[in-house]
Amino acid sequence: MEILVRVDAYPDISLGHLNRCLNLGYSLEEHGHNVTFLSYNDSATQAILSKTHFEYKLIPFKINDKQSKHDELSQLKTLSGSIDLLLVDSYNVDKDYFDFLNKYFPVIGYLDDLGLDFDVDLVINPSCKVKETDYKAKNVLCGMQYVILGEEYRAGRAKVFNTNKRSILVTMGGIDHYDLSTRVIPILEEISLDIEVNIVIGPYYENTKLIKTAVKKSRLTIKIFENTTNLAPIILESDIALTAGGFTVYELAAMSTPSVGLALWENQYNNIECLSNQDALIPLYYSQGPDFDQDLTKALSKLINDDKLLIDMSEKARNAIDGNGANRVSQEIIKRYE
């Protein structure tokens, strides 16, 4: 099949949508299909897509943006003649958007996180909080067995945890709105100086200088990772993690990594709740109040100092996310539409 993926990444929405579409694209390609990406012309998006072998086209129009909706839809109409399946991954869609696309594309799939119900043929939502009857689509793939991860997450973690000296991964995804990467450094110093810290700086971070200044002043051993497109090797260097509640919580779970998961935005609540319900992470919900740093200190102290919790959470995380979701989605697409 010829498959077109319509997905964007830019500072306001970060990289989660693009990353999972790339992972699904690799899996679909393994099954013999051609995958092309159509995305907004963002510098980080171009840097990521240029390192893949996928065909891609960058356009100056964001998905369903009011200012350029007509131009974007014209681009999609032009491409539709050679496409068997269109996959759309965005929150910024509505009924009119899909009504237009249904005129030109034979099959449309929508990757959803928020329970948005549109006239499409296929819905993929990995949340534990939805069921097939929540959607009007004929085919619905829902539940955490359909979490879309890269091939490297299928095998999981073989390394034994270091119980003598903890190493912690700190990642806030594509952007660190609240400068938590900086704020957590003195918190970790307070808990223990015997901690190694791996900080990932995303492509849209506006606080890079603040982080690097804090690292220089810190008494901890800290490594900084920039311009990384694959988190898996850094996850495997780390025993535990502090992470924003987006796509990365599933990557960490598949790698059996006990985590404190921060729900920074409403669209991350389901990710955090689904995994915390299975004791696969410690949930925390960001607030601007003065108590948040105290709550973060308690959660990290619990994770760092409790060996039994670390081992139990590691097993439950991998049980919740086995890393095979992309392959399952690809097989269902092939079965239903090839």
Side-chain angles (χ1 to χ4, degrees), residues 208-232:
T208 300
K209 290 183 179 179
L210 292 173
I211 296 170
K212 291 182 176 180
T213 299
V215 168
K216 287 181 180 179
K217 293 179 179 179
S218 177
R219 294 170 292 166
L220 295 169
T221 300
I222 302 176
K223 289 192 286 186
I224 291 177
F225 298 85
E226 293 184 82
N227 303 315
T228 180
T229 56
N230 184 3
L231 202 59

Side-chain angles (χ1 to χ4, degrees), residues 2 13 22 66 90 95 103 120 123 133 137 139 141 156 171 176 196 221 227 273 281 305 308-309 320-321:
E2 294 293 333
I13 63 171
L22 284 170
K66 291 181 180 178
S90 173
K95 179 181 182 297
K103 297 176 184 177
V120 295
V123 172
T133 54
N139 297 309
L141 308 179
T171 174
D176 188 357
E196 296 177 350
T221 300
N227 303 315
E273 290 176 14
L281 56 70
N305 295 316
K308 184 179 184 303
L309 174 66
I321 307 295

Side-chain angles (χ1 to χ4, degrees), residues 157-169 192 194-198 221 223 235-241 255-258 303-311 314:
R157 179 190 290 267
K159 173 188 171 186
V160 177
F161 289 111
N162 184 350
T163 56
N164 297 318
K165 187 177 181 69
R166 293 277 188 264
S167 58
I168 182 169
L169 168 64
S192 173
D194 195 30
I195 299 173
E196 296 177 350
V197 186
N198 299 318
T221 300
K223 289 192 286 186
I235 292 175
L236 293 176
E237 284 189 31
S238 311
D239 299 313
I240 58 178
M255 289 296 195
S256 309
T257 309
L303 193 61
I304 289 168
N305 295 316
D306 191 333
D307 288 348
K308 184 179 184 303
L309 174 66
L310 185 149
I311 293 169
S314 172

Side-chain angles (χ1 to χ4, degrees), residues 44-185:
T45 302
Q46 183 175 25
I48 292 169
L49 287 173
S50 66
K51 293 177 182 177
T52 74
H53 56 265
F54 291 116
E55 290 187 20
Y56 66 91
K57 182 176 183 180
L58 301 179
I59 57 176
F61 317 121
K62 297 175 181 177
I63 293 176
N64 204 32
D65 185 76
K66 291 181 180 178
Q67 304 300 320
S68 56
K69 182 174 180 178
H70 175 77
D71 294 315
E72 182 215 353
L73 293 176
S74 295
Q75 289 270 353
L76 284 161
K77 179 182 176 181
T78 300
L79 296 171
S80 64
S82 60
I83 299 301
D84 302 303
L85 168 64
L86 171 67
L87 294 174
V88 178
D89 190 343
S90 173
Y91 302 148
N92 192 36
V93 289
D94 55 24
K95 179 181 182 297
D96 291 342
Y97 187 77
F98 284 110
D99 284 348
F100 179 91
L101 295 178
N102 275 317
K103 297 176 184 177
Y104 300 100
F105 290 91
V107 180
I108 298 176
Y110 179 52
L111 284 77
D112 179 39
D113 300 303
L114 302 179
L116 303 177
D117 190 18
F118 300 111
D119 182 16
V120 295
D121 302 282
L122 169 70
V123 172
I124 304 162
N125 186 337
S127 174
C128 68
K129 293 181 169 292
V130 297
K131 52 187 182 296
E132 292 183 21
T133 54
D134 292 336
Y135 296 96
K136 65 182 71 168
K138 181 179 179 181
N139 297 309
V140 178
L141 308 179
C142 59
M144 289 196 292
Q145 69 270 31
Y146 294 113
V147 169
I148 297 168
L149 301 178
E151 182 181 6
E152 60 270 38
Y153 294 93
R154 295 181 195 174
R157 179 190 290 267
K159 173 188 171 186
V160 177
F161 289 111
N162 184 350
T163 56
N164 297 318
K165 187 177 181 69
R166 293 277 188 264
S167 58
I168 182 169
L169 168 64
V170 176
T171 174
M172 294 300 127
I175 191 166
D176 188 357
H177 283 284
Y178 305 114
D179 193 28
L180 290 168
S181 303
T182 302
R183 289 165 57 183
V184 76
I185 291 174

